[in-house]
Amino acid sequence: MADVELIKKCLTAHPDFPKKGIVFLDIFPILRDPFVFETLITHFIQHITSHTIGLSEKKRVDVIVGLDARGFLFGPIIALRLGAAFVPVRKAGKLPGACISASYEKEYGTDSFEMQAGAITPGQTVVVIDDLIATGGSAKAAGELVAMQGGQTLEYLFVIELMFLQAASKLNAPVYSIVKTDD
Ligand SMILES: O=P(O)(O)OC[C@H]1O[C@H](OP(=O)(O)OP(=O)(O)O)[C@H](O)[C@@H]1O
Ligand SMILES: Nc1ncnc2[nH]cnc12
């Protein structure tokens, strides 16, 4: 609980960014404090290894999928610590080679996500990570890309969950978020 409070205290709210009516929650202050950043990474690792998923042979995490752009800040570190692969999901047009794509709506617009074809092999277990879940549009599209490759999403992880948008019910696996907010 102490680490949740520590992480929460670092978040800053920016009203009317990037559009009027949106209160943007910024996670970058966490990264400016190495102790808080380490606390956050350790929190996710402990959750994955001991709490929900467990590193039994059956439920080993094969792949961490990170969402463009802020999922890239956490995903590769978590993947390295677990000995898992890291696979990026990027905004359309950014990845070379054959890609699969899925469009989505998010809190402030529409977008299309891509993943490199073959980046996940059928049967691999996957955990999806991003900084924040709002409407769940981004996470849902990422889950669709994992499923299109035959991967099995075990869980979705976020630093922040905007509870009032009730996004978790749209996803095909449980959601775990460190900071839950109704603001
Ligand atoms: O749950 P949703 O309504 O889909 O919104 C959540 C997404 O929105 C933000 O990214 P954004 O699309 O702003 O892209 P960025 O990371 O490139 O800034 C955030 O980092 C999530 O990826
Ligand atoms: N309110 C918000 N703050 C930060 N990132 C977001 N992505 C979607 N909604 C957001």
Side-chain angles (χ1 to χ4, degrees):
M1 204 57 199
D3 46 348
V4 176
E5 287 310 311
L6 193 67
I7 292 161
K8 206 171 173 178
K9 263 197 227 152
C10 273
L11 303 173
T12 52
H14 299 265
D16 298 326
F17 181 88
K19 283 187 178 165
K20 207 167 169 40
I22 301 290
V23 179
F24 188 89
L25 295 173
D26 184 19
I27 49 89
F28 279 115
I30 295 171
L31 278 68
R32 295 203 287 264
D33 184 326
F35 181 77
V36 183
F37 194 13
E38 177 60 49
T39 300
L40 175 94
I41 297 295
T42 303
H43 186 105
F44 276 136
I45 296 294
Q46 280 175 352
H47 170 78
I48 293 170
T49 55
S50 65
H51 191 239
T52 300
I53 295 171
L55 281 183
S56 67
E57 273 309 296
K58 231 173 137 195
K59 289 201 171 174
R60 218 197 106 75
V61 178
D62 296 317
V63 182
I64 299 289
V65 164
L67 307 198
D68 193 347
R70 288 178 292 275
F72 297 172
L73 302 170
F74 311 111
I77 299 172
I78 292 168
L80 264 181
R81 292 211 184 162
L82 293 175
F86 175 76
V87 170
V89 161
R90 293 217 64 184
K91 302 271 168 72
K94 300 285 186 183
L95 287 169
C99 290
I100 55 169
S101 60
S103 325
Y104 61 96
E105 282 189 35
K106 56 183 182 177
E107 199 184 12
Y108 39 72
T110 58
D111 246 314
S112 186
F113 264 162
E114 289 184 346
M115 183 185 280
Q116 286 172 313
I120 294 174
T121 53
Q124 282 192 309
T125 54
V126 174
V127 168
V128 175
I129 184 155
D130 202 358
D131 65 324
L132 179 142
I133 181 164
T135 64
S138 314
K140 187 166 185 286
E144 284 165 12
L145 294 174
V146 171
M148 283 159 77
Q149 309 245 37
Q152 182 202 351
T153 302
L154 299 177
E155 195 171 40
Y156 293 84
L157 302 183
F158 304 95
V159 180
I160 308 163
E161 182 175 1
L162 305 187
M163 300 302 290
F164 61 95
L165 290 170
Q166 300 185 317
S169 60
K170 294 181 190 164
L171 303 179
N172 61 351
V175 166
Y176 177 76
S177 51
I178 299 177
V179 176
K180 298 174 203 306
T181 176
D182 272 316
D183 307 329

